[in-house]
Amino acid sequence: GDEQFELASGGALVIRISERVLARLDGVHVMGGDLAFERATRHSRGRQTDERFDYGGAQLHAVTGKGYLIAVPDKRAFTAVALDDDIFYLREDLVFAFEAKLRWENGNVPGLRGRLPVVQFRGDGAVALRSERPLVRVKLPPQGIVFVDAARLAGWIGRVIPRAVVPPSDSPMGDVCVECTGEGVVLIDPVGDPGMR
């Protein structure tokens, strides 16, 4: 194939590098070509920082050159998402790899004071995520509103506006939930963020 990210038989993720890709390296058991690796750091407010890009697991690396990596799944499965001039927010611990041509920035869900780091991706390109179970998609219609247990929020696509709120007493939510308004698709992680549980 010629896609940047390809899901192969057995659930392996093939990452093709022609210039630059950012990826975690845990689970990568096969590589080929002429590749170089450098630790990636977080982007905040349009600038590169000195902070490690490693929330929720292994450090992400900038992989440059020409070649490929093959990551073998463990108990978690890979999913590849192609963006076509989209806005995609994904919880940082779920990010496995992405094309460097995407515009991206690290941030947080408003109101959670750094407890739920997310990465914003914009533009045309692909993102590979790794999760224990498939994510659930909830359509948010215009002027719609949904409440999500903060530990279960995986991300969103489109013009969704999240903010942390206190859930009603005796509700099925955790200690904190996220109110999502706007329009788009909200992604739910059935397992949840271990740092928020």
Side-chain angles (χ1 to χ4, degrees), residues 24-66:
R24 297 185 196 264
L25 301 179
D26 60 319
V28 172
H29 297 296
V30 178
M31 64 177 272
D34 183 16
L35 301 173
F37 303 88
E38 179 183 339
R39 290 180 185 265
T41 57
R42 297 165 61 88
H43 283 186
S44 180
R45 295 187 173 99
R47 296 176 187 219
Q48 189 166 342
T49 71
D50 293 331
E51 297 175 48
R52 294 169 56 109
F53 194 163
D54 63 358
Y55 177 79
Q59 168 76 44
L60 268 91
H61 285 77
V63 184
T64 55
K66 292 196 182 306

Side-chain angles (χ1 to χ4, degrees), residues 1-7 14-17 80 82 99 125-126:
D2 58 0
E3 296 292 324
Q4 194 87 51
F5 303 129
E6 177 185 344
L7 296 175
V14 178
I15 303 172
R16 292 182 181 87
I17 298 109
E99 291 185 75

Side-chain angles (χ1 to χ4, degrees), residues 27 51 166 191:
E51 297 175 48
V166 176
V191 176

Side-chain angles (χ1 to χ4, degrees), residues 80-102:
V81 178
L83 303 182
D84 181 15
D85 196 26
D86 290 319
I87 304 170
F88 179 35
Y89 290 81
L90 185 62
R91 204 173 68 210
E92 190 170 312
D93 64 298
L94 298 175
V95 175
F96 187 80
F98 60 93
E99 291 185 75
K101 69 180 183 178
L102 287 167

